Amino acid sequence: MTKTKIPKPNWINYRKPEGLKYQPENEFDVLSILSCSFKLEGCWNKIGYLRAQIGVKANGLNFIETPINGQIFEPNIWEFDHVKKEITKAKHELHEIAAAIEKIENGKAETVEIQIKFNKGKKSKETIIITHPEILPRIFELLKTLPEGEQKPTPKKGNIEKQQYKQFIFESIGKCFELIESIDPDLNETDKLFFSGLILTLAGVIEPPRLFYEGFTTDPDQVKDYRDKLTDSLKYYKSTGK
């Protein structure tokens, strides 16, 4: 008898959000501020590379392993918590299936039916009950081909998404500091934070000046005010960063 091949389900409905929409004037603002605030002659290729590094990480273009489908794109930094929960839930359900099959095979439990519940739309639900003595063993044989999964871990305190985002910003600022210190080692901490904020803005992690700071223009006084607001918002991540 030919073994039925079961298609692997797409159990993670992963959808990447639009994020911050690209607008040329926003990038022009940031590049103008960078040019006026720092001596970056001959360093723009390094800035472009750093911007790309941060953007790739923020938007989830690396691969991670899932319990059934193998590799998928890593969730972006804003959706990490949601996708991590989905992966944990799937592994836990697989573990429960494996444990139930083991009980049945060891004679510690008896299967008399399987219920499949689904939603037909408009809050109308339906349940299929499977009880046939020839169908039930076949279903469990097929279920045995699934991975065993893992027990659900004890929930950690704190918001995983916020912790992940905080660590990401901390690491990104560290890379920005390394670059600007190699270009101009005499800058103070606030200048380095300002540079970091501008790079994070170019990478699409932080809102551009016109959204971050209401009524923004490239007037020197407003740039200074924007600089103060941006660096103040980043001090939290730079000072605590773990």
Side-chain angles (χ1 to χ4, degrees), residues 44-180:
W44 288 104
N45 58 333
K46 294 181 181 179
I47 290 172
Y49 179 69
L50 179 59
R51 170 190 182 177
Q53 274 188 310
I54 294 173
V56 163
K57 180 65 177 176
N59 289 297
L61 297 178
N62 297 315
F63 285 106
I64 59 171
E65 294 290 334
T66 68
I68 296 178
N69 282 344
Q71 288 187 331
I72 64 167
F73 279 118
E74 181 182 17
N76 66 59
I77 200 68
W78 299 278
E79 275 202 341
F80 177 87
D81 190 37
H82 169 71
V83 178
K84 187 71 175 178
K85 285 178 181 176
E86 287 296 310
I87 292 173
T88 300
K89 180 181 177 183
K91 288 183 177 180
H92 176 59
E93 289 181 0
L94 290 170
H95 174 76
E96 288 188 318
I97 291 171
I101 292 172
E102 185 179 356
K103 286 181 181 179
I104 293 167
E105 291 180 337
N106 293 336
K108 296 180 180 179
E110 182 183 0
T111 306
V112 293
E113 69 178 36
I114 290 176
Q115 293 188 14
I116 300 174
K117 297 181 180 181
F118 60 93
N119 194 332
K120 297 188 297 181
K122 295 182 179 179
K123 298 182 179 181
S124 175
K125 297 181 180 180
E126 186 171 317
T127 301
I128 297 175
I129 299 176
I130 302 169
T131 61
H132 198 282
E134 292 184 6
I135 298 177
L136 285 176
R138 178 61 175 152
I139 290 175
F140 275 92
E141 281 301 313
L142 294 173
L143 288 174
K144 285 169 67 175
T145 64
L146 293 171
E148 290 188 0
E150 298 173 5
Q151 281 187 303
K152 196 170 185 179
T154 303
K156 295 181 178 179
K157 292 182 179 180
N159 184 297
I160 297 174
E161 184 179 21
K162 288 182 179 178
Q163 292 171 358
Q164 184 78 4
Y165 181 79
K166 181 179 176 181
Q167 184 63 26
F168 164 72
I169 296 292
F170 175 68
E171 291 173 357
S172 298
I173 289 175
K175 291 178 181 178
C176 292
F177 267 49
E178 287 179 14
L179 177 57
I180 196 59

Side-chain angles (χ1 to χ4, degrees), residues 165-206:
Y165 181 79
K166 181 179 176 181
Q167 184 63 26
F168 164 72
I169 296 292
F170 175 68
E171 291 173 357
S172 298
I173 289 175
K175 291 178 181 178
C176 292
F177 267 49
E178 287 179 14
L179 177 57
I180 196 59
E181 284 171 354
S182 70
I183 297 171
D184 190 348
D186 296 326
L187 292 175
N188 60 37
E189 192 88 350
T190 301
D191 288 332
K192 295 174 189 177
L193 272 179
F194 187 40
F195 175 81
S196 301
L198 293 171
I199 298 300
L200 287 168
T201 303
L202 284 176
V205 178
I206 296 177

